[in-house]
Amino acid sequence: MSGMSPLDTDKVKRFNAGAHDLKREAESGGFAINEDGLNLYKKACEKFINEWSEVRSRLWGLGDKAPLGDFPYADAVADFNVKAAIDGSDALIPNIDLMVDGYKQALEALEIAHRNYARKDEENNLCFARINQQILDGTA
């Protein structure tokens, strides 16, 4: 996540795909995370989600074609600004949307992984309780 910029479309797409993969991995029980880990990563994800959502809302104004004058070059510059912000294949707002979605997917993955941890912890506790009972009963 470090060094990621909405200007680097390829990196943003890889991050988003990785976050979706992380969620699928958590859903399949592929990893678990304890409460402390969840809280640490949750805080980071929420920070990025909030910050990039704010940046996105400020950038939305760039979607309005700026009145730069009445000549072809001014129109071309104004059109380029709109394309770079909103409409282009490497535009900022779609990339920010992918980044925010990626952080949301990562957050969901962490919450699923925490449930995995809690479930596994409960299974372990039950197993240890059975072993302890067997020791007490002399059947172990």
Side-chain angles (χ1 to χ4, degrees):
M1 289 189 265
S2 85
M4 189 168 38
S5 162
L7 299 172
D8 188 340
T9 299
D10 291 336
K11 192 180 273 189
V12 169
K13 287 179 179 178
R14 285 192 308 270
F15 167 72
N16 184 273
H20 282 265
D21 290 344
L22 182 69
K23 184 177 175 187
R24 279 190 292 279
E25 185 70 19
E27 289 171 335
S28 71
F31 77 100
I33 190 167
N34 67 15
E35 185 82 22
D36 291 337
L38 171 68
N39 290 335
L40 180 69
Y41 288 114
K42 183 177 180 179
K43 184 177 178 181
C45 286
E46 288 173 344
K47 178 181 189 255
F48 283 108
I49 290 167
N50 292 334
E51 287 180 5
W52 282 114
S53 295
E54 287 177 31
V55 168
R56 184 193 189 284
S57 66
R58 284 185 264 138
L59 285 174
W60 191 251
L62 294 176
D64 297 331
K65 189 173 175 182
L68 299 178
D70 246 356
F71 49 98
Y73 181 73
D75 281 342
V77 169
D79 288 340
F80 173 80
N81 290 342
V82 171
K83 184 177 179 183
I86 295 174
D87 292 332
S89 61
D90 294 330
L92 288 171
I93 288 183
N95 284 350
I96 289 172
D97 290 344
L98 279 175
M99 288 171 62
V100 169
D101 176 66
Y103 287 113
K104 287 179 179 179
Q105 293 299 310
L107 185 56
E108 287 180 34
L110 292 166
E111 290 169 347
I112 292 166
H114 181 256
R115 288 192 299 271
N116 293 345
Y117 182 89
R119 184 174 48 252
K120 190 53 112 175
D121 196 39
E122 180 62 26
E123 289 172 10
N124 291 340
N125 287 338
L126 291 172
C127 180
F128 287 127
R130 280 192 304 273
I131 291 170
N132 189 41
Q133 189 60 49
Q134 290 172 348
I135 290 170
L136 291 175
D137 294 343
T139 59

